[in-house]
Amino acid sequence: MQSPYTGLPVQDWQEKTLELIDQHPLDPQEIYDVVIQVWSEIFQSSITSRGYRIGINLFPTPQIMGFFLHELIPLELASKYPGIWRRDRSAIEKDIVYIPNNDFSIEIKTSSSSRNTYGNRSYAQQSATGAKPKKDKSGYYLVVNFQKFDPKIQSAQTLNINLVRFGWIDREDWQGQTAATGQQAKLSPDVERYKLLQLPI
C-alpha cells in the first residue's frame, strides 16, 4: 500500500496525521483512556495467594512492563468490542487487530525512554530475497513511553506514563543502527514529531 504521506513535504505531515487519526474507528480519547486504565490496574492487581503487588513487592524490567501493556491493551479493547477488536494470533498480525478492516489494525510500541520510539533492527531491514516480511511495518501505531523502576529505591514505587502517542509510521521511516551489532531501529525527529501525535489531542 502506498504511503499516505507520499509527495507531502514535512510541514504537511501533521495535518495528514490528524486526518488519518480522524479516519480511525477508535476515538483518540478512548485510546488514551484505555492506556491509562490498563497502566493503573497493573499496579492495583495482586499476584498469587500472597497478594504480591507490582511496585511494592515486584519491580519488573521495562521489557516486562511493556509486555503487560502489549497484552492488556488489546484484551481490554476485545472485551469492550467483541467481534470488532481482538489481540493478535500470529506473527503476521498487528498487536491489535480490527476485524472488519485490517488497514485499521494497530501496532503497539512501548519504551522507558522519555519520548523516543524504538523497534527491532528488523523493522529497518529489507529482505535480501525480496520476500514479504512477516508483519507489515507500515500503518497505525500506538506508542507508550513510561517511567522505569529505580533499582536504588528499595521502597514502594509508582510509575507514571510519560507520553501516549498515536499516528502512522511507514516501514521506510525506521532507521537501523549503523553498527553491525546494533539491534535497534529508531525514527527521525520529524517522524516522532509529526507522524505520532500526543494523546489526548
Side-chain angles (χ1 to χ4, degrees):
M1 184 173 67
Q2 186 181 52
S3 167
Y5 297 85
T6 298
L8 291 178
V10 172
Q11 59 264 32
D12 291 339
W13 285 4
Q14 182 169 319
E15 182 178 354
K16 174 55 70 173
T17 304
L18 285 168
E19 180 184 319
L20 290 166
I21 291 174
D22 187 58
Q23 293 170 358
H24 198 271
L26 282 175
D27 183 85
Q29 181 66 53
E30 182 173 22
I31 296 173
Y32 177 80
D33 290 344
V34 167
V35 172
I36 298 303
Q37 172 194 333
V38 165
W39 185 255
S40 175
E41 291 177 352
I42 288 172
F43 290 88
Q44 295 170 13
S45 302
S46 60
I47 301 172
T48 81
S49 60
R50 295 190 180 274
Y52 297 125
R53 299 274 298 275
I54 290 175
I56 297 178
N57 314 103
L58 303 170
F59 305 92
T61 64
Q63 290 79 6
I64 293 176
M65 296 301 290
F67 168 80
F68 287 146
L69 290 173
H70 273 84
E71 294 296 309
L72 294 173
I73 292 172
L75 284 173
E76 182 64 24
L77 288 170
S79 178
K80 292 181 70 172
Y81 304 107
I84 299 176
W85 292 95
R86 65 169 173 81
R87 62 190 294 188
D88 64 308
R89 294 175 180 165
S90 70
I92 65 171
E93 293 185 320
K94 301 284 179 66
D95 297 312
I96 314 174
V97 177
Y98 185 58
I99 298 169
N101 185 346
N102 193 51
D103 290 345
F104 293 108
S105 296
I106 304 169
E107 185 75 356
I108 301 174
K109 286 294 170 193
T110 63
S111 176
S112 60
S113 165
S114 60
R115 68 167 298 109
N116 292 327
T117 310
Y118 299 101
N120 295 331
R121 191 175 183 182
S122 63
Y123 273 66
Q125 292 175 328
Q126 300 291 337
S127 171
T129 63
K132 186 176 180 180
K134 286 186 177 181
K135 184 187 294 191
D136 186 3
K137 303 301 192 299
S138 297
Y140 285 96
Y141 277 74
L142 171 62
V143 179
V144 183
N145 296 81
F146 55 82
Q147 293 178 319
K148 62 181 176 180
F149 288 111
D150 186 343
K152 298 177 183 178
I153 300 176
Q154 300 300 314
S155 58
Q157 301 179 53
T158 300
L159 306 184
N160 294 320
I161 294 288
N162 291 325
L163 199 58
V164 180
R165 289 171 294 165
F166 187 58
W168 181 285
I169 299 174
D170 289 297
R171 180 185 180 89
E172 294 74 22
D173 292 326
W174 291 102
Q175 304 171 351
Q177 289 179 303
T178 55
T181 56
Q183 295 301 309
Q184 284 185 335
K186 63 179 183 177
L187 302 171
S188 72
D190 284 341
V191 171
E192 294 265 19
R193 185 178 300 113
Y194 301 122
K195 297 181 74 172
L196 292 171
L197 303 188
Q198 184 173 347
L199 300 184
I201 295 176

